Amino acid sequence: MRLHRLDITAFGPFGGAQSVDFDELSAAGLFLLHGPTGAGKTSVLDAVCFALYGAVPGARQSGQGLGLRSDHAASDTRTEIRLELSVAGRRLEVTRQPPWERPKLRGKGMTTEKAQSWLREYDSTAGSWKDLSRSHQEIGEEITQLLGMSREQFCQVVLLPQGDFARFLRADAEARGKLLGRLFDTHRFAEVEKRLAERRRAAEAEVRAADTALLADAHRMQQAAGRVVEEPLPDLTPGDPGLAESVLAWAAVARSTAREALTVAHCARGSAESAQAAADHVLDDVREVDRLQRRFTEAQERAARLEQRADAHNAARTRMERARKAEAVAPALDLRDAAEAEHRRASAEETRARAALPETFAGAGAPGLAVAARKAAEELGGLESARRAERRLGELGSERASLDRQERADEDVLQDAESWLADWEETRAGVEARVESAQEAAARAEQLAVRREPAVKRLAAARLRDELARDTEAAHARSLAARERATQAHAHWLDLKEQRLQGIAAELAAGLVDGESCAVCGATEHPAPARKIAGHVDRETEERALAAHRSADEQRAEAERRLGVVREALAAATAEAGDAPTRQLEEQAEELECLHTEARTVASGLHAAREAREQAEREHERRLTAQQEAARRVAARTSHREVLDREKASLEGELEQARGAAGSVSERATQLERQVALLTDAAEGVRAAEDIARRLKDADARLADAAFRAGFETPQAAAAAMLDDVAHRDLQRQLDAWQLEESSVRAVLAEADTTAAARRPPVDLPAAERSAESAARRLRDTASARDAAARRCTELDTLSTRATGGARRLAPLREEYERVSRLAGLAAGTSADNERRMRLEAYVLAARLEQVAAAATVRLQRMSSGRYTLVHSDDRAGRGRSGLGLHVVDAWTGRERDTATLSGGETFFASLALALGLADVVTDEAGGVRLDTLFIDEGFGSLDDQTLDEVLDVLDSLRERDRSVGIVSHVGDLRRRIHAQLEVVKGRTGSVVRQRGA
């Protein structure tokens, strides 16, 4: 990935449009991004990240959306980021516009525009750009796929935040694991651990469930066996070894015992069945004789009862014959009863209708009542015009009341407007005073801001001066100590060298071989070679002393160089801060800050004061307009009220004549409507009563004729002889029952068996029943015992079969549980087979960290002149588990120590090497996407000149692979060393960028 051009508009501290030509900056391979604190150096990197991923780095994500917009931008300038880059052999252009608030095109106020994005690709064949997408989601997926990195990985491997890696060096294993887990996406290994743990719990639950089911079947077998099996069930719990074998052995004993009990019960049932059959045969004979004797006795009793009811039977038969004759008169009777009932209803209706009429119509017939109803209806039709006049009179009252309400409302408006306008001059003077006060405060705040910045800079220099003074004393002490150690190491080396020269003959003699020439004298025989004495100094000891001397001398030179650097910095800080005490400068800066804050607070009300003035003027105009309109409405209502009064007088005269003695026209119309209805109802009732009276007379004549023909003297006699349906059915049922009973009694008394049984002596039925019941009870008991034994055997067989199947299914479940449990314990680091107790995810991260340490060591050795090497340590950390340790090996001492013991400058170039190594590993992990542009953020101020040269050489070596590196720093020495620069300059109207090539 290589950046070509970045265009920024109204973003962060940049109020206007700014452009960065990365092609020009990258030509030298190494370029510097510098500027004062707060100017916006990091905002340039934020713009690159926002263009690619639509979001800024994690620590600044709270500024998304509207918060990305520059406070210095004009209200009609839209925030926009455009980035041109090459990736995977394609040249792309990404444009992003976050949501922003702009003035409304119509009316006042603000409206929010939605975010927009564009992705274009340069077509080299056509020589033009072609659009690819305008979707936020599609653009994000395309960029992530091409780069092979998420936004978090991009911010770690391209923007290289040195502070994060310095904390990474000093962090514990857990914090390192979180960062590496996010960068290398190892959550799938954590998911494997989780899945294995879930599988283990599921397998354990299945095994326990199978054991529980097996034990449940065993307890059911114990309940089914009851007291037949004397051997108790083994005391077992789920998970006990040998549970299945114990349960199956006990089940076999229970089945054998139950089968023996079934054989005994079967024999007892056969004996009981024979005895019960004999008792039943005797009981059947006794019951038959007893039945026939009782049948004969009952027949005799029934015959006596029939003889007693003979007279009643004859009377009922006569009553039935008269009822059959009266049935011929029934239609005439029904017709007469219906006519009589209808006549009673019509008479009652006529009486009710006449009772509601005035006394003048008491004796009037139907024609007279109809004539009176027509006259009342004609009078009612003449009142329609009066009704309209009455409704209009009500509307006039409502209109007059509405006019009165409007008049009172206008009086309130006039009074309110006059009261407000009386205070207008005072109100206007107050808002004008507020505006003038805020404008004066704004001018005063600008003057104080000019005075505050130099005071803040001088205070910072004074604090740096005090800190450097303390550092100078410490550096001087370290320099004296290093000089003393170097002198001692030099003397020690010279002593060892002199001792070695004194015993050099013995060292040469150790290499002599018979027959080979001596390196000193040339002889081939060596009769008396020199021998090493006690305390002999060899070449290796001398070289170690020499190396210690050189190391001590380098430390001395380094301490003296650091002392010089600190003294130069102290002189520069003293020149800028002067001799004034820091406390005095702090008081001056605090006073200016308080005055500036107070002025800005007052000035912040300028916009509100102007709005209040505009609002007061609008209110004044509105009050004047309301006063004038209310006066016009008052004048118009006076003439309208006079017209309404004249119309009201005319309508009242017309209504007084129309309503007569009634209270109103509506009341008079209601009276006439009721009178018409009553007269019409009475006329119809009189005509109906006359018609029904004629029909009743005809029905009486037809009834008398029908009764005479049926043989009855009067219609009343025929009516008395009639039976209703219920009485007819009851009487017929009595006649049929008497006849049936008589036939049945004669048949029983004529039976030969019954007569023969009646001549025999009485039998003892209860004794025979007791004998049969005893035999049946014995059969039931033996049958129940046999059935219970059979059910017991069946149930035991079923449960044994199920328990055997459960035991077979349990074996593979237990094997799977043991296998999954071993794997889960190994992945979770809790198994004894996992010697270092390292979790699977930690193991994968340790491998990645080992790769990162190896890649970082290549650059770290060059930065530290071969002194330091980064190595991964898998020593056990807290809770007895192996962690993600990171140690540094010091070649000067040969010892391995924790990275947290590195000094400030050493931590910087170690974290830089770690960041570059991590960039290489993550790049390979992402599919080998080439990263041609990198940025390094701050940290160079802690390096001395020699280390800075070595670090810059390492960064400059990246150019050999056609890479460009941007350094973000405000260290002044870097401006002299790096010629290609991008400077961010801040001002009152926002920041601007200035670019200078190599």
Side-chain angles (χ1 to χ4, degrees):
M1 181 202 73
R2 178 177 291 278
L3 305 181
H4 297 295
R5 183 180 180 85
L6 175 66
D7 295 323
I8 305 173
T9 303
F11 179 85
F14 304 106
Q18 305 295 323
S19 297
V20 179
D21 188 351
F22 285 109
D23 287 336
E24 180 183 358
L25 292 172
S26 302
L30 196 64
F31 63 90
L32 177 65
L33 175 58
H34 68 94
T37 302
K41 301 186 295 299
T42 307
S43 295
V44 176
L45 308 184
D46 290 347
V48 173
C49 184
F50 183 78
L52 293 175
Y53 295 96
V56 297
R60 298 179 289 280
Q61 286 189 45
S62 59
Q64 301 298 331
L66 298 175
L68 297 176
R69 180 171 175 78
S70 175
D71 295 334
H72 303 285
S75 60
D76 57 348
T77 301
R78 173 136 198 188
T79 302
E80 181 180 272
I81 305 295
R82 180 181 292 109
L83 177 65
E84 186 178 341
L85 72 157
S86 294
V87 59
R90 301 168 62 184
R91 187 155 184 148
L92 303 175
E93 181 189 79
V94 187
T95 304
R96 292 191 186 270
Q97 295 179 347
W100 72 302
E101 288 187 348
R102 62 165 178 82
K104 293 182 178 178
L105 300 178
R106 295 181 179 178
K108 297 182 179 180
M110 306 294 288
T111 184
T112 302
E113 288 279 356
K114 295 182 179 179
Q116 299 186 35
S117 300
W118 294 271
L119 177 63
R120 301 196 302 170
E121 182 177 5
Y122 184 74
D123 188 352
S124 57
T125 304
S128 60
W129 293 91
K130 63 177 181 180
D131 293 334
L132 294 182
S133 177
R134 293 176 64 91
S135 169
H136 302 299
Q137 182 177 358
E138 291 179 359
I139 294 174
E141 293 175 354
E142 181 73 14
I143 294 296
T144 302
Q145 183 176 2
L146 289 174
L147 294 179
M149 291 180 287
S150 64
R151 176 177 59 82
E152 190 169 38
Q153 289 176 317
F154 177 84
C155 295
Q156 292 289 345
V157 303
V158 178
L159 303 185
L160 298 184
Q162 293 305 108
D164 290 351
F165 284 97
R167 287 191 294 273
F168 182 82
L169 286 172
R170 294 184 171 90
D172 55 12
E174 183 179 358
R176 289 195 185 109
K178 289 181 180 178
L179 175 61
L180 293 174
R182 292 195 301 268
L183 292 178
F184 293 106
D185 191 18
T186 57
H187 70 279
R188 60 187 182 276
F189 298 102
E191 287 297 322
V192 170
E193 298 177 24
K194 181 179 178 182
R195 288 293 299 276
L196 285 174
E198 292 175 353
R199 286 283 304 278
R200 177 178 60 188
R201 289 193 294 270
E204 183 181 6
E206 290 179 356
V207 170
R208 286 190 170 274
D211 283 349
T212 302
L214 190 59
L215 278 177
D217 289 339
H219 287 297
R220 293 190 186 97
M221 285 189 286
Q222 186 182 26
Q223 293 176 357
R227 291 176 292 181
V228 173
V229 181
E230 297 179 356
E231 182 180 353
L233 184 69
D235 187 12
L236 298 170
T237 58
D240 288 348
L243 183 143
E245 291 77 4
S246 300
V247 170
L248 294 180
W250 185 89
V253 174
R255 289 198 307 274
S256 176
T257 305
R259 289 192 184 95
E260 293 176 359
L262 175 61
T263 303
V264 173
H266 186 72
C267 295
R269 180 183 176 184
S271 175
E273 285 178 348
S274 300
Q276 197 263 344
D280 287 345
H281 181 70
V282 173
L283 178 62
D284 291 341
D285 293 343
V286 172
R287 282 177 175 171
E288 181 63 19
V289 173
D290 181 71
R291 184 184 67 80
L292 292 174
Q293 290 177 349
R294 285 188 288 103
R295 180 178 175 80
F296 185 81
T297 302
E298 290 176 358
Q300 289 180 333
E301 293 174 354
R302 289 163 60 192
R305 287 194 296 271
L306 287 175
E307 184 66 25
Q308 293 175 359
R309 299 202 310 271
D311 294 340
H313 171 68
N314 294 331
R317 189 166 50 191
T318 303
R319 180 75 177 88
M320 178 62 73
E321 291 176 356
R322 286 180 59 80
R324 290 194 181 97
K325 292 179 181 180
E327 289 178 356
V329 189
L333 279 171
D334 294 340
L335 181 62
R336 198 270 175 191
D337 291 340
E340 184 178 8
E342 189 175 358
H343 181 263
R344 284 196 299 272
R345 288 194 298 272
S347 299
E349 185 66 22
E350 179 185 3
T351 303
R352 181 193 62 76
R354 286 184 179 277
L357 294 176
E359 294 181 358
T360 55
F361 299 102
L369 294 173
V371 171
R374 283 196 300 274
K375 290 182 179 180
E378 291 174 356
E379 185 180 356
L380 177 64
L383 291 179
E384 184 62 31
S385 175
R387 284 182 174 181
R388 289 194 297 271
E390 190 173 44
R391 286 194 297 270
R392 176 56 185 163
L393 185 62
E395 294 173 357
L396 291 177
S398 300
E399 291 183 12
R400 182 63 182 269
S402 177
L403 290 176
D404 293 340
R405 289 194 299 271
Q406 293 175 8
E407 184 174 6
R408 288 192 297 272
D410 286 339
E411 289 177 356
D412 294 339
V413 170
L414 288 172
Q415 184 177 1
D416 186 29
E418 290 173 359
S419 175
W420 193 90
L421 291 173
D423 300 332
W424 163 241
E425 294 299 331
E426 183 179 353
T427 303
R428 181 170 58 182
V431 295
E432 290 292 345
R434 284 180 59 191
V435 172
E436 292 176 0
S437 176
Q439 288 175 342
E440 292 175 358
R444 188 167 61 256
E446 292 179 357
Q447 296 173 0
L448 290 172
V450 173
R451 295 172 53 194
R452 183 186 60 169
E453 187 172 356
V456 172
K457 290 182 177 179
R458 189 178 179 189
L459 175 59
R463 289 172 176 169
L464 180 61
R465 176 197 63 194
D466 297 344
E467 183 178 357
L468 289 174
R470 293 189 296 270
D471 292 346
T472 300
E473 296 177 0
H476 181 66
R478 288 194 296 271
S479 175
L480 291 176
R483 186 179 303 164
E484 184 178 352
R485 287 194 299 271
T487 302
Q488 293 174 355
H490 183 258
H492 179 63
W493 169 62
L494 292 178
D495 291 342
L496 292 178
K497 185 174 183 180
E498 183 178 357
Q499 294 177 23
R500 180 168 178 257
L501 290 175
Q502 291 174 359
I504 195 65
E507 186 174 339
L508 293 174
L512 295 177
V513 179
D514 291 338
E516 295 181 3
S517 301
C518 177
V520 178
C521 64
T524 58
E525 295 181 358
H526 319 292
R531 304 295 182 183
K532 293 182 179 180
I533 64 175
H536 175 75
V537 178
D538 55 9
R539 180 184 181 87
E540 184 179 356
T541 303
E542 180 190 355
E543 288 179 352
R544 286 200 301 269
L546 177 60
H549 159 59
R550 290 175 178 173
S551 175
D553 191 59
E554 289 177 357
Q555 292 179 1
R556 176 196 57 77
E558 174 67 15
E560 291 178 352
R561 187 191 63 78
R562 288 181 179 272
L563 177 59
V565 171
V566 174
R567 284 175 175 172
E568 290 178 3
L570 176 60
T574 303
E576 184 176 358
D579 298 330
T582 304
R583 183 59 184 171
Q584 179 181 352
L585 294 177
E586 288 178 349
E587 293 176 354
Q588 294 175 359
E590 289 176 358
E591 182 180 1
L592 288 174
E593 181 67 26
C594 292
L595 293 175
H596 179 260
T597 302
E598 181 180 358
R600 285 192 61 184
T601 302
V602 177
S604 63
L606 178 58
H607 180 69
R610 289 175 177 172
E611 288 187 349
R613 181 175 61 186
E614 295 176 359
Q615 183 178 1
E617 292 175 352
R618 289 194 299 270
E619 182 66 16
H620 175 255
E621 183 65 24
R622 188 184 68 81
R623 297 282 184 166
L624 284 177
T625 302
Q627 185 182 34
Q628 295 170 1
E629 291 179 354
R632 285 195 299 271
R633 289 195 298 271
V634 169
R637 273 195 302 273
T638 303
S639 59
H640 189 196
R641 187 180 289 106
E642 293 175 356
V643 172
L644 292 179
D645 290 342
R646 289 195 298 270
E647 185 178 1
K648 179 180 179 183
S650 174
L651 292 175
E652 287 177 348
E654 180 181 351
L655 291 175
E656 185 176 359
Q657 181 179 359
R659 62 175 172 258
S664 64
V665 174
S666 298
E667 183 179 350
R668 177 58 181 164
T670 301
Q671 293 174 356
L672 290 175
E673 289 174 353
R674 184 172 181 277
Q675 184 176 358
V676 169
L678 292 175
L679 290 172
T680 303
D681 188 24
E684 293 177 353
V686 171
R687 282 195 295 268
E690 292 174 352
D691 293 340
I692 291 172
R694 286 193 296 272
R695 289 201 299 272
L696 178 60
K697 186 176 180 181
D698 293 341
D700 288 337
R702 285 195 295 271
L703 176 60
D705 183 62
F708 179 76
R709 285 197 300 270
F712 292 99
E713 296 180 357
T714 62
Q716 290 76 13
M722 291 186 65
L723 294 174
D724 56 14
D725 292 342
V726 177
H728 187 277
R729 284 195 300 272
D730 291 342
L731 185 60
Q732 186 63 47
R733 191 181 302 109
Q734 293 175 10
L735 295 173
D736 294 342
W738 195 92
Q739 187 176 2
L740 180 62
E741 179 70 8
E742 184 182 21
S743 300
S744 176
V745 169
R746 282 199 302 269
V748 171
L749 294 177
E751 292 176 354
D753 293 342
T754 305
T755 305
R759 289 194 292 268
R760 294 176 58 181
V763 295
D764 190 0
L765 179 60
E769 288 178 344
R770 285 193 296 273
S771 298
E773 177 64 24
S774 176
R777 184 166 53 252
R778 181 185 173 194
L779 177 61
R780 285 196 301 271
D781 293 342
T782 56
S784 298
R786 189 266 178 194
D787 293 342
R791 285 195 302 272
R792 183 183 303 113
C793 290
T794 302
E795 189 170 358
L796 286 175
D797 290 341
T798 302
L799 292 173
S800 294
T801 303
R802 188 163 68 182
T804 303
R808 292 196 188 99
R809 291 190 297 273
L810 178 60
L813 289 177
R814 190 175 295 279
E815 292 177 2
E816 181 183 1
Y817 165 67
E818 292 174 355
R819 182 173 60 256
V820 172
S821 180
R822 286 196 302 272
L823 287 175
L826 193 62
T830 59
S831 172
D833 296 334
N834 191 333
E835 296 179 358
R836 295 192 175 276
R837 302 180 63 81
M838 184 179 292
R839 294 172 52 243
L840 176 61
E841 184 181 16
Y843 177 78
V844 175
L845 291 178
R848 289 288 187 267
L849 182 59
E850 192 170 359
Q851 295 175 355
V852 172
T857 296
V858 175
R859 296 183 176 89
L860 179 59
Q861 287 182 339
R862 186 172 177 182
M863 292 180 188
S864 63
S865 301
R867 179 178 179 182
Y868 294 121
T869 301
L870 281 175
V871 294
H872 163 249
S873 172
D874 56 2
D875 293 337
R876 291 190 177 182
R879 296 186 297 176
R881 298 196 179 199
S882 298
L884 297 172
L886 190 63
H887 291 175
V888 60
V889 178
D890 191 343
W892 290 2
T893 62
R895 299 183 63 183
E896 180 178 327
R897 53 194 173 98
D898 195 271
T899 53
T901 62
L902 294 173
S903 64
E906 293 169 342
T907 298
F908 167 72
F909 61 68
S911 62
L912 176 59
L914 185 66
L916 293 173
L918 182 63
D920 293 339
V921 175
V922 173
T923 300
D924 295 337
E925 179 78 9
V929 177
R930 181 179 176 84
L931 301 176
D932 297 322
T933 306
L934 300 175
F935 294 92
I936 301 173
D937 193 358
E938 288 299 345
F940 292 88
S942 61
L943 303 181
D944 56 72
D945 293 340
Q946 181 181 354
T947 306
L948 181 60
D949 289 337
E950 293 171 348
V951 171
L952 293 179
D953 287 342
V954 172
L955 296 178
D956 194 50
S957 67
L958 297 175
R959 182 171 50 180
E960 298 172 1
R961 294 192 287 175
D962 196 22
R963 281 186 175 180
S964 61
V965 179
I967 297 176
V968 182
S969 178
H970 51 65
V971 176
D973 193 33
L974 290 176
R975 302 178 195 174
R976 296 189 296 272
R977 296 171 181 260
I978 302 175
H979 300 290
Q981 298 180 7
L982 179 66
E983 182 181 6
V984 183
V985 182
K986 67 179 179 179
R988 298 181 61 81
T989 59
S991 298
V992 296
V993 296
R994 297 175 184 172
Q995 184 169 329
R996 185 179 71 183

